[in-house]
Amino acid sequence: MTPASPAARRRARTSAVRTSEPRLVPPVLVRDHRVRVPVDREDPSRYPTIEVFARELVDPARDAEDLPLLLFLQGGPGGMGPRPLGGGWWSTALRTHRVVLLDQRGTGRSSRVDGRTIARFGSGDEAADYLACFRADAIVEDAEAVRRAVYGGRRWATLGQSYGGFLTLTYLSRHPEALTACYVTGGLPGTAATAEDVYARTFPRQAARVAAFARRYPEDVQLLGALADRLAAGDVTLPDGDPFTVRRLQTLGMPLGMSTGVDALHWLLDTVDLDADGAPDDAFALAVQTQTGFDANPLYAVLQEVIYHQGERGGGWAAQAELDRRPDHAPDARPLALTGEAVFPWMFDDIRALRPFRAAAEALAARTSWPPLYDAERLAANEVPVAAVQYVDDPYVDLDLATATADAVGNAQVWVTNEYLHDGLRAAGDVILPRLVDLAAGRWTVTRP
């Protein structure tokens, strides 16, 4: 085959990238970038290409300046980049940087994957093969495609929230030359930890958050028990027809790791109106359906355990196995235990948005061999400044695994604090982000507790 000429390569590159005209969305100037990428980089012709979407934000008064780039790596899995509503951490970042918000492949405007997408595959195994191409390694390569195609290969810093910290370590494992600094908020994974290791540690941390809820709102514990007793009798449905079961009620505990999680659950329960038979009202049922339905982010559920898998494993559902070891989490146990950031196989039967993924999810859970996500030797030799904050009471990312990772990564420092919960960046980005920048630059030091 004759190599393409330089002019042909330029035309191909241009056709693969689309950038919108800048528009003012007060108080920021916005550009939208779209880049075509293969689904499977090992076999680019295997599937049709998909589009990766990145939104660039800049202070309008500084658009002409050669500002450094800051790529935001969203939490997830299956998370699209935030939309800049009002203030946020980006308001702080825009004082010094041009900010790039990436929609992870399969989310938002990056060729979204939903039940309609999966229905096109002939079997669960075929759909699982496709979804296996949506892990951290592929997301990092998508970011690299944006960096090269849109920004001419300029190096950038990254800010990784939650799962964005997982992506950060994969990025450092594969393309450290692309990075000037990495900031991580609540998201240093155990790079050698299995999903089973993670749930063995996070279930007790979630129990501590449930205990905090019970101490603050003891009357709500009784209400949850009464609700569970009624749901256990059956015949209660959610507005979309899904069964309203005790185990679905238990998943209301997932947000307890957030700064407003305890209070938000209380105020949700404050609205419930039980009829003479003890069944909840429609408004409460709709709120539960919305909060626990995964309509907006089905990949979050489908890939929840897949993000941990590397090398050879035994297969199976790690969170369900951990749950089965805990009789105090049984639906008939009282007080009712509330589950945290975990996905269970029953969800793919009971939840409408997840049913199309059931066969694929089962195939992914059964898979026993996975490619690596992290390069331990390269991380140990890392020279890119890494500054992370980890939260003592965070039930989603285990503190001990996170600090062990920080010790194993070269040029990494971690600030451990009990001032914030998992959404510290959202709640106090104006404090946290400058501290991490100073920590990475050596202008601030921390002492590990």
Side-chain angles (χ1 to χ4, degrees):
M1 180 180 292
T2 304
S5 68
R9 289 197 298 269
R10 284 194 298 272
R11 286 194 298 272
R13 185 165 60 246
T14 301
S15 65
V17 181
R18 291 187 293 142
T19 296
S20 71
E21 290 297 318
R23 65 189 188 280
L24 185 64
V25 183
V28 298
L29 193 69
V30 174
R31 289 180 179 86
D32 294 342
H33 305 290
R34 299 171 179 82
V35 179
R36 301 297 305 186
V37 300
V39 172
D40 184 353
R41 286 183 168 84
E42 296 297 319
D43 185 1
S45 63
R46 186 180 185 190
Y47 305 109
T49 60
I50 57 174
E51 194 168 71
V52 170
F53 175 84
R55 173 167 286 127
E56 177 187 311
L57 310 181
V58 65
D59 180 342
R62 306 194 65 187
D63 186 42
E65 298 181 37
D66 187 22
L67 295 170
L69 299 169
L70 177 66
L71 170 68
F72 182 64
L73 298 172
Q74 168 68 31
M80 67 179 184
R83 272 47 183 171
L85 293 171
W89 60 263
W90 51 83
S91 300
T92 300
L94 288 172
R95 298 172 191 165
T96 53
H97 287 75
R98 195 178 298 267
V99 174
V100 181
L101 306 174
L102 179 72
D103 282 358
Q104 295 171 21
R105 56 169 47 200
T107 75
R109 294 174 64 181
S110 288
S111 296
R112 175 176 161 78
V113 171
D114 57 18
R116 296 171 300 177
T117 311
I118 296 307
R120 299 177 191 137
F121 291 93
S123 69
D125 286 335
E126 291 176 3
D129 287 344
Y130 186 76
L131 292 168
C133 298
F134 284 72
R135 300 204 309 155
D137 48 359
I139 295 169
V140 165
E141 295 303 330
D142 292 343
E144 277 294 279
V146 171
R147 186 179 69 89
R148 292 190 297 266
V150 176
Y151 298 105
R154 286 183 59 197
R155 298 170 71 204
W156 53 18
T158 61
L159 172 60
Q161 158 65 16
S162 188
Y163 179 57
F166 295 45
L167 301 177
T168 299
L169 293 187
T170 300
Y171 215 145
L172 287 167
S173 295
R174 299 173 73 96
H175 297 288
E177 73 284 352
L179 307 170
T180 58
C182 296
Y183 314 112
V184 177
T185 57
L188 285 178
T191 54
T194 64
E196 289 77 9
D197 295 333
V198 169
Y199 292 115
R201 292 168 176 270
T202 55
F203 264 70
R205 292 191 181 277
Q206 171 69 8
R209 296 304 302 151
V210 175
F213 169 78
R215 287 193 298 271
R216 185 174 299 182
Y217 300 112
E219 68 280 8
D220 289 348
V221 175
Q222 301 302 316
L223 177 56
L224 281 167
L227 275 168
D229 291 343
R230 175 61 185 86
L231 298 179
D235 73 24
V236 180
T237 60
L238 297 171
D240 64 358
D242 284 353
F244 192 179
T245 61
V246 178
R247 56 193 181 185
R248 187 143 181 189
L249 181 69
Q250 288 177 286
T251 67
L252 289 178
M254 188 177 292
L256 291 180
M258 302 297 185
S259 58
T260 58
V262 164
D263 294 330
L265 178 55
H266 166 69
W267 292 120
L268 172 62
L269 293 170
D270 180 71
T271 67
V272 68
D273 183 21
L274 304 181
D275 66 16
D277 190 39
D281 62 285
D282 290 343
F284 177 78
L286 178 61
V288 172
Q289 172 187 303
T290 302
Q291 183 169 315
T292 64
F294 300 99
D295 293 88
N297 58 343
L299 288 185
Y300 176 89
V302 178
L303 302 178
Q304 185 63 222
E305 296 192 3
V306 170
I307 65 173
Y308 299 105
H309 297 339
Q310 301 181 90
E312 304 303 311
R313 65 183 305 270
W317 297 85
Q320 184 64 53
E322 185 63 32
L323 184 74
D324 292 343
R325 284 191 282 270
R326 298 177 176 274
D328 60 321
H329 280 61
D332 59 354
R334 301 291 180 270
L336 184 69
L338 301 178
T339 54
E341 188 173 48
V343 169
F344 306 103
W346 64 262
M347 293 178 171
F348 296 90
D349 292 311
D350 287 9
I351 298 177
R352 181 186 59 82
L354 299 184
R355 285 188 199 112
F357 293 89
R358 177 175 56 188
E362 291 173 347
L364 289 170
R367 188 165 294 190
T368 57
S369 183
W370 292 87
L373 294 169
Y374 311 113
D375 185 328
E377 291 185 3
R378 202 165 195 181
L379 290 173
N382 173 64
E383 297 181 352
V384 178
V386 178
V389 59
Q390 204 64 41
Y391 312 116
V392 172
D393 299 318
D394 188 340
Y396 307 140
V397 178
D398 180 70
L399 177 62
D400 295 331
L401 290 176
T403 53
T405 292
D407 290 338
V409 175
N411 207 16
Q413 300 181 77
V414 60
W415 161 34
V416 177
T417 178
N418 62 359
E419 297 175 85
Y420 311 104
L421 284 165
H422 189 72
D423 61 341
L425 183 65
R426 180 192 62 80
D430 58 333
V431 174
I432 288 174
L433 182 54
R435 287 188 184 178
L436 293 182
V437 171
D438 286 346
L439 185 60
R443 295 187 294 267
W444 183 55
T445 58
V446 293
T447 301
R448 188 86 59 81

